[in-house]
Amino acid sequence: FLSLGKVFWLAGSLLIIGLASVVNPTIGWRWLIRIASIPGILLILVFKFIPESARYNVSTGNVAAALATLQRIAKMNGAAMPEGVLTEPPKERRGRFKDLIHPKYLRTTLQIWIIWLGIAFAYYGVILASAELLERDLICGSAAAPGQGSGGDSEESSSISSPCYCRLFGPSAYQTMIISTAGEIALNPLNILGINFLGRRLSLCITMGCTALFFLLLNICTSSTGMTGFLFMLRALVSANFNTIYIYTAEVYPTTMRALGMGTSGSLCRVGAMVAPFISQVLMSASFIGALCLFSSVCVICAISAITLPIETKGRALQ
């Protein structure tokens, strides 16, 4: 279900690209940001309708709230509650940060953090590199930088030496972005099969290794169609990486520290997302192959971290 939930992430991604193709050329990118913030505001209003986890409530001693949640679920499904009394297990101490770095979980936690950081770095790197590739039109036989090749106008001449330039996307650029974004759902069936039959670690290692390979393939001299194909596969692979590590992290920690484990991993994920623009837009301007090699190297490190994780959660009961 976590993997299938990516359909809605994809829907949002496609919606914002479609919206940008209409709003950017007409009323500008600032209005795009304003319109895109509306769903987030609406989401705040519907949070109260999301039921709390019954398992979490029981683990914190709030049995009444857990029972109310289960009764609500039974009513929604037209089923009767099982007979008996919901009993509270021996009270467990809530997870703390030092539990994540306890010798029992230290190696797992450190490797998970590396993987989350690397996956976010690669994911947002692909998105930003896509924009950079489309803006610079870096396909075989095209100009390497905007402003080259025609006329002697001073504005064009200055754009060659200055990193500050802006060229609006045309319809074909938005079309390429839509096609490559659709890749985020392309490998979902294979991803689901992989994590269930090969296991979480091996599946993640394979997709991370393939991500590293496709980053390097972006340097191949190819047509516009070929470049779109590479970006499509990259988006498919980085999405599969996110699916797998999200599932693994949720499974590897016990209930009392699961939210803490997910939260700290998410923080490292943001660090990767913050670093990505400097590589995909700054370093890529200075050295295209250098930026691709860096992205690829990080993916290789993540693949090694994935295959050497000390715990395989496939078929393992939640603690």
Side-chain angles (χ1 to χ4, degrees):
F1 280 113
L2 283 169
S3 298
L4 293 173
K6 289 292 290 183
V7 171
F8 297 95
W9 179 280
L10 171 69
S13 300
L14 294 175
L15 179 61
I16 197 66
I17 296 171
L19 193 63
S21 67
V22 175
V23 175
N24 274 347
T26 52
I27 54 179
W29 65 267
R30 287 180 175 84
W31 274 104
L32 177 66
I33 299 296
R34 291 167 187 151
I35 295 170
S37 68
I38 293 173
I41 295 169
L42 296 177
L43 187 62
I44 295 171
L45 304 177
V46 301
F47 269 135
K48 68 175 183 178
F49 298 106
I50 301 174
E52 183 53 86
S53 160
R55 189 184 182 105
Y56 170 80
N57 278 331
V58 169
S59 72
T60 56
N62 196 350
V63 178
L67 189 60
T69 299
L70 293 174
Q71 287 171 338
R72 180 181 171 191
I73 293 170
K75 184 179 178 182
M76 289 170 64
N77 285 283
M81 284 281 287
E83 293 182 5
V85 179
L86 191 62
T87 57
E88 183 182 350
K91 188 148 181 146
E92 294 180 325
R93 179 175 49 79
R94 296 282 301 280
R96 295 174 296 178
F97 181 79
K98 68 179 184 180
D99 294 331
L100 292 175
I101 54 176
H102 185 275
K104 180 180 179 182
Y105 287 106
L106 178 60
R107 179 181 162 189
T108 300
T109 296
L110 292 177
Q111 288 183 230
I112 284 176
W113 286 351
I114 290 170
I115 295 168
W116 272 93
L117 191 152
I119 288 176
F121 178 69
Y123 180 81
Y124 291 101
V126 171
I127 293 174
L128 293 167
S130 299
E132 189 75 5
L133 287 166
L134 293 170
E135 187 175 358
R136 291 169 171 272
D137 198 23
L138 287 180
I139 58 174
C140 191
S142 298
Q148 290 180 345
S150 65
D153 142 338
S154 61
E155 194 173 339
E156 286 188 351
S157 300
S158 66
S159 72
I160 297 173
S161 57
S162 170
C164 303
Y165 57 85
C166 180
R167 190 176 69 180
L168 294 176
F169 281 177
S172 62
Y174 284 113
Q175 182 181 8
T176 298
M177 292 195 80
I178 287 174
I179 293 171
S180 62
T181 302
E184 293 204 7
I185 205 70
L187 290 184
N188 236 21
L190 283 176
N191 186 218
I192 293 170
L193 287 173
I195 61 178
N196 285 321
F197 290 98
L198 298 178
R200 280 61 162 150
R201 294 182 301 184
L202 180 57
S203 179
L204 183 56
C205 178
I206 292 171
T207 53
M208 287 301 314
C210 291
T211 305
L213 174 63
F214 272 90
F215 263 117
L216 295 178
L217 290 177
L218 284 180
N219 193 52
I220 290 178
C221 182
T222 184
S223 64
S224 178
T225 303
M227 183 62 67
T228 301
F230 288 148
L231 291 174
F232 179 91
M233 282 304 300
L234 263 174
R235 291 293 286 268
L237 289 163
V238 292
S239 178
N241 295 335
F242 250 131
N243 280 350
T244 310
I245 194 58
Y246 196 103
I247 291 169
Y248 180 87
T249 307
E251 290 175 338
V252 78
Y253 293 116
T255 301
T256 52
M257 54 191 284
R258 184 168 297 122
L260 184 64
M262 292 295 298
T264 52
S265 298
S267 299
L268 269 293
C269 174
R270 302 306 160 210
V271 172
M274 287 188 285
V275 174
F278 294 98
I279 307 304
S280 60
Q281 297 192 315
V282 179
L283 178 60
M284 192 166 278
S285 297
S287 173
F288 185 66
I289 186 64
L292 294 181
C293 286
L294 181 56
F295 279 120
S296 183
S297 299
V298 169
C299 291
V300 169
I301 291 170
C302 289
I304 295 169
S305 295
I307 199 63
T308 57
L309 281 164
I311 301 170
E312 172 56 74
T313 61
K314 173 179 174 285
R316 177 176 178 258
L318 288 177
Q319 299 176 78

